Amino acid sequence: MKRRHILAAAGVGIAAGALVGCKEEAGAASTSQPAAEAKTFNWKMVTSWPKNFPGVGVGAERFAKLVDEMSNGRLKVKVYAAGELVPALEVFDAVSRGTAEMGHGAPYYWKGKVPAAQFFCALPFGPNAQEMNAWLHYGGGMKLWEEVYKPFGVLPMACGATGVQTAGWFNKEINSVDDLKGLKMRTPGLGGEVLTKVGGTVVNMPAGEIFTALQTGAIDATEWIGPYNDQALGLHKAAKYYYTPGWQEPNVTFELDINIKAWETLPADLQAIVRAAARDVNGDMLDDYNAKNMEAMEQLKTAGVDVRRLPDEVLAKLKEVSADVVDATAAADPAAQKVWEQQKAYLARLYEYAEANEKDIYAIR
C-alpha cells in the first residue's frame, strides 16, 4: 500500500510538472504569437487612374480599405494616382521592378511588353463581364494569366469590370465605314487594332489627357468607358455625337498586379485577405458601373446629348475585321496563341448557352 501511495504521489508530481511545463510552453507561445501577428506591412499601389476617379479609381481605394479592415491594420496599402509615383501606362513595369508592391490598371495597356495580356482584358465583339469572369475563375483563365505574367515577376488578379461600354464620342457623324478612314481616335487594345485596319489612326493616352485632346482637335474621337466615367471627364462638352454599342469592349477586366517577391513575404492569412478583397472589388465595381451608367446616360440625354447607334453596315464590317485581328494577334505570339486557343473554345460554349437562354430573355421581357 505504501508503495502504491508513493507511486501515486510520484505520478501526481509528474503530472503537475507536466502541467507546469505545458503552462510555460503555452506562456512562451502566447508571448511569441502576438509578436508574429503584430508584424505589419506597408505597401504601395500605383494605378492608371486619376485620383479617386469614379469606378476604377474608387475601386482601387476600396480594395486598400478592405485589406486594411480585414487584416486589422496588418497590411496597409497606400494608393497612388496616375503620375503621382509612375505614369499611368507604366504600372506593370513598376510592379515588375519592385518600385511598388501592387498596381491597378487595364491589361491591354502593356500589350507592347505582354501581347497576351489583351486577351484577359477585352475582346472586340467578345465576352461580357459575366462570361469573362466565368472563364477566368472557372474555365482556366486565371491559371493561364498567372503563367503569362510569371516571367515578369508579377502575380495578376481580376479586380474590377466595366460591363458593356459605349462606342465613344465623335466630332463627326459615322454613317458608313468610309467615315472611319482617317479618323484619329483614342482607343486602346485590340479594338484599336481593328480601327487601324479600317483606315483609322489610333492615339493612346491616359484618362487625364483625353478631354483636352478631344476639345482641341488633336483627336477626332475617343472612347473611354461609358456614361458614368465619360460624364465625369466632361467628354460631352468636347464632342457632338455619342455612339453605341461598345463593340470594341463588351467588357474590360481590370487587374490587380502584385510583385511576386513581395507576395511571398506575406503570411498565408494576409494572402487570403488580398485575394478576397480583389474578388469583392471585382464584383462591386461591375455593380457600380451598371447602376451609375444608367443614371449618367439619363442625365446626358436630358442635357441634349445626341446619342446614336452605329449603322449595321459599320458594325458588320468591324466584326469581320475583328475576327481577323484577334486571330492574327494571337498567331504572332506563342503565349497569346496558347491563351486564345483555350479561351476561344471555352467562350464558344458560353456563347451557345447565352444564345439559348439569356438572349431570349432580353428579347421577350
Side-chain angles (χ1 to χ4, degrees):
M1 293 289 295
K2 188 173 182 180
R3 178 179 172 81
R4 287 198 297 270
H5 285 309
I6 292 171
L7 290 173
V12 170
I14 292 170
L19 286 172
V20 170
C22 288
K23 288 181 179 178
E24 289 175 350
E25 289 177 7
S30 65
T31 56
S32 62
Q33 188 70 14
E37 291 180 353
K39 183 176 180 181
T40 60
F41 298 81
N42 293 285
W43 281 14
K44 298 184 288 291
M45 176 196 278
V46 291
T47 76
S48 298
W49 327 120
K51 191 72 173 177
N52 290 320
F53 193 70
V56 281
V58 172
E61 294 284 357
R62 174 179 170 79
F63 169 83
K65 183 179 180 183
L66 281 172
V67 167
D68 185 25
E69 290 175 350
M70 290 193 291
S71 70
N72 197 26
R74 290 168 54 213
L75 175 55
K76 293 185 177 294
V77 179
K78 183 174 181 179
V79 179
Y80 291 87
E84 287 187 334
L85 197 59
V86 300
L89 304 183
E90 294 182 18
V91 167
F92 183 87
D93 285 340
V95 175
S96 179
R97 292 192 305 264
T99 302
E101 292 84 1
M102 286 181 167
H104 192 263
Y108 54 27
Y109 286 163
W110 11 102
K111 67 176 185 177
K113 181 179 290 289
V114 195
Q118 302 172 91
F119 292 84
F120 304 102
C121 185
L123 294 175
F125 297 93
N128 61 20
Q130 301 96 298
E131 291 163 338
M132 180 65 90
N133 280 328
W135 173 65
L136 287 173
H137 298 120
Y138 291 98
M142 282 308 313
K143 182 179 179 181
L144 288 169
W145 202 354
E146 292 175 8
E147 181 182 312
V148 168
Y149 278 22
K150 188 174 182 180
F152 301 92
V154 175
L155 175 69
M157 295 180 192
C159 193
T162 64
V164 180
Q165 298 196 11
T166 51
W169 298 87
F170 295 72
N171 270 322
K172 59 181 289 189
E173 293 184 80
I174 305 299
N175 296 314
S176 70
V177 175
D178 287 340
D179 292 324
L180 297 174
K181 295 177 180 178
L183 186 80
K184 292 179 294 182
M185 184 173 183
R186 182 270 173 201
T187 183
L190 292 165
E193 299 292 335
V194 174
L195 181 65
T196 301
K197 290 292 184 182
V198 295
T201 300
V202 171
V203 181
N204 204 3
M205 61 183 67
E209 300 174 14
I210 295 175
F211 176 84
T212 301
L214 188 61
Q215 187 181 50
T216 60
I219 56 176
D220 304 310
T222 184
E223 60 83 19
W224 175 231
I225 292 178
Y228 180 27
N229 281 161
D230 296 355
Q231 185 183 46
L233 284 179
L235 300 183
H236 56 293
K237 300 175 183 178
K240 297 179 180 179
Y241 309 106
Y242 198 22
Y243 278 95
T244 65
W247 61 271
Q248 78 290 352
E249 292 168 337
N251 172 66
V252 165
T253 295
F254 300 110
E255 66 181 14
L256 172 70
D257 291 325
I258 307 172
N259 180 276
I260 290 177
K261 289 182 179 178
W263 174 253
E264 291 172 347
T265 68
L266 293 181
D269 64 327
L270 289 186
Q271 290 183 348
I273 284 171
V274 169
R275 290 189 183 277
R279 283 297 292 267
D280 183 283
V281 171
N282 195 51
D284 183 75
M285 192 184 293
L286 180 61
D287 296 343
D288 188 27
Y289 274 116
N290 282 334
K292 301 297 175 51
N293 276 332
M294 171 194 67
E295 296 171 0
M297 184 63 93
E298 291 172 345
Q299 293 165 6
L300 289 170
K301 287 181 177 179
T302 299
V305 170
D306 191 349
V307 180
R308 302 185 179 189
R309 184 180 185 275
L310 287 171
D312 289 340
E313 171 204 341
V314 173
L315 289 171
K317 182 62 176 179
L318 291 171
K319 184 176 180 179
E320 175 190 331
V321 175
S322 291
D324 293 337
V325 165
V326 172
D327 284 341
T329 301
D333 177 73
Q337 184 67 42
K338 179 179 179 180
V339 172
W340 177 227
E341 287 179 357
Q342 194 273 0
Q343 184 184 40
K344 180 167 55 174
Y346 194 84
L347 290 179
R349 296 165 60 200
L350 286 173
Y351 294 167
E352 182 179 358
Y353 176 79
E355 283 287 327
N357 190 47
E358 294 194 27
K359 185 177 179 180
D360 281 346
I361 285 295
Y362 291 142
I364 68 175
R365 67 184 182 184

